[in-house]
């Protein structure tokens, strides 16, 4: 009952000297009610970027994290146009998820991905992930990006000619990864 000195249960009517009413201290319930009424405990408002990110991820999860040929062009254009505005970390996570989905997709979708300069995209992600590994920046996330790139590369129907054609975009980052691992 140590709060009795701080909180008065009944307000005083009048001081008697000058006729002014004395103010009382608020109870804990009243303070909580004020915070609640002011919206302190309301759910945070979802930004348009966050709702777009959720829509992107739910679009990938609808088909069991597989991409169809019909969706491929829309997803690639979304990755180039919309995703960079969501921030670097979210962009890289979306790219990693997308590459993992490509690895699980049908062979015809993977062929279409290679035809749409998908190898350059893999090379960019792999290059950035290796740079982050070398700089010891967020190694767990960089490692996950590397794994997504490697899983996608393993699943793609690539021959010597394709790899020779993309030796700059994929070969250099892959060599950097090999040096980092050694």
């Amino acid at each position: 009952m140590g709060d009795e000195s701080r909180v008065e249960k009944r307000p005083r009517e009048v001081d008697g000297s000058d006729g002014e009413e004395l103010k009382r201290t608020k109870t804990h319930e009243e303070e909580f009610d004020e915070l609640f009424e002011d919206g302190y405990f309301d759910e945070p408002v979802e930004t348009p970027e966050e709702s777009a990110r959720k829509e992107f991820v739910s679009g990938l999860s609808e088909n069991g994290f597989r991409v169809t040929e019909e969706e491929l062009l829309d997803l690639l254009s979304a990755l180039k146009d919309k995703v960079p505005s969501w921030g670097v970390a979210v962009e890289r996570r979306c790219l990693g998820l997308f590459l993992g989905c490509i690895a699980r997709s049908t062979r015809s979708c993977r062929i279409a991905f290679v035809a749409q300069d998908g190898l350059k995209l893999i090379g960019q992600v792999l290059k950035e992930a290796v740079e982050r590994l070398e700089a010891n920046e967020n190694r767990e996330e960089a490692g996950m990006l590397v794994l997504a790139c490697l899983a996608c590369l393993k699943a793609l129907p690539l021959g010597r000619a394709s790899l020779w054609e993309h030796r700059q975009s994929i070969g250099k980052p892959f060599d950097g990864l090999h040096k980092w691992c050694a």
Side-chain angles (χ1 to χ4, degrees):
M1 299 239 171
D3 285 342
E4 290 179 12
S5 61
R6 190 176 81 75
V7 179
E8 286 185 25
K9 298 289 182 183
R10 290 178 275 153
R12 294 184 186 171
E13 296 297 325
V14 179
D15 179 312
S17 58
D18 56 0
E20 290 185 24
E21 190 174 313
L22 294 177
K23 294 184 180 180
R24 68 181 178 89
T25 307
K26 296 177 186 176
T27 64
H28 293 292
E29 291 84 17
E30 291 172 332
E31 288 177 354
F32 179 77
D33 289 343
E34 238 180 61
L35 288 173
F36 194 77
E37 289 170 2
D38 291 342
Y40 186 78
F41 297 108
D42 290 348
E43 291 290 323
V45 178
E46 193 172 271
T47 63
E49 290 85 10
E50 181 64 18
S51 60
R53 183 199 64 81
K54 284 183 179 179
E55 183 180 323
F56 179 81
V57 172
S58 67
L60 288 175
S61 66
E62 286 176 356
N63 294 332
F65 292 101
R66 288 180 169 84
V67 177
T68 62
E69 290 178 65
E70 296 80 29
E71 297 173 320
L72 182 63
L73 291 177
D74 294 335
L75 289 172
L76 284 172
S77 67
L79 284 170
K80 290 177 184 174
D81 301 335
K82 297 177 187 174
V83 175
S85 66
W86 300 344
V88 175
V90 174
E91 177 186 9
R92 293 301 164 215
R93 290 177 189 150
C94 288
L95 282 169
L97 179 63
F98 175 72
L99 292 177
C101 292
I102 291 293
R104 296 181 55 152
S105 297
T106 62
R107 181 173 173 82
S108 59
C109 181
R110 294 189 306 252
I111 291 170
F113 176 72
V114 171
Q116 295 294 326
D117 284 335
L119 293 178
K120 288 182 182 177
L121 180 65
I122 293 174
Q124 291 170 351
V125 174
L126 187 60
K127 180 182 176 190
E128 183 175 324
V130 169
E131 288 171 356
R132 290 167 71 181
L133 285 172
E134 290 172 343
N136 271 341
E137 289 181 21
N138 203 353
R139 290 177 57 176
E140 294 83 14
E141 190 167 333
M144 295 302 286
L145 286 174
V146 167
L147 287 174
C149 291
L150 293 177
C152 192
L153 281 171
K154 181 181 177 188
L156 291 177
L158 299 174
R160 287 185 182 189
S162 299
L163 290 176
W164 180 257
E165 184 180 331
H166 295 282
R167 66 185 178 278
Q168 292 297 318
S169 60
I170 290 181
K172 296 246 183 215
F174 197 80
D175 287 342
L177 177 64
H178 182 71
K179 288 177 187 174
W180 181 82
C181 290

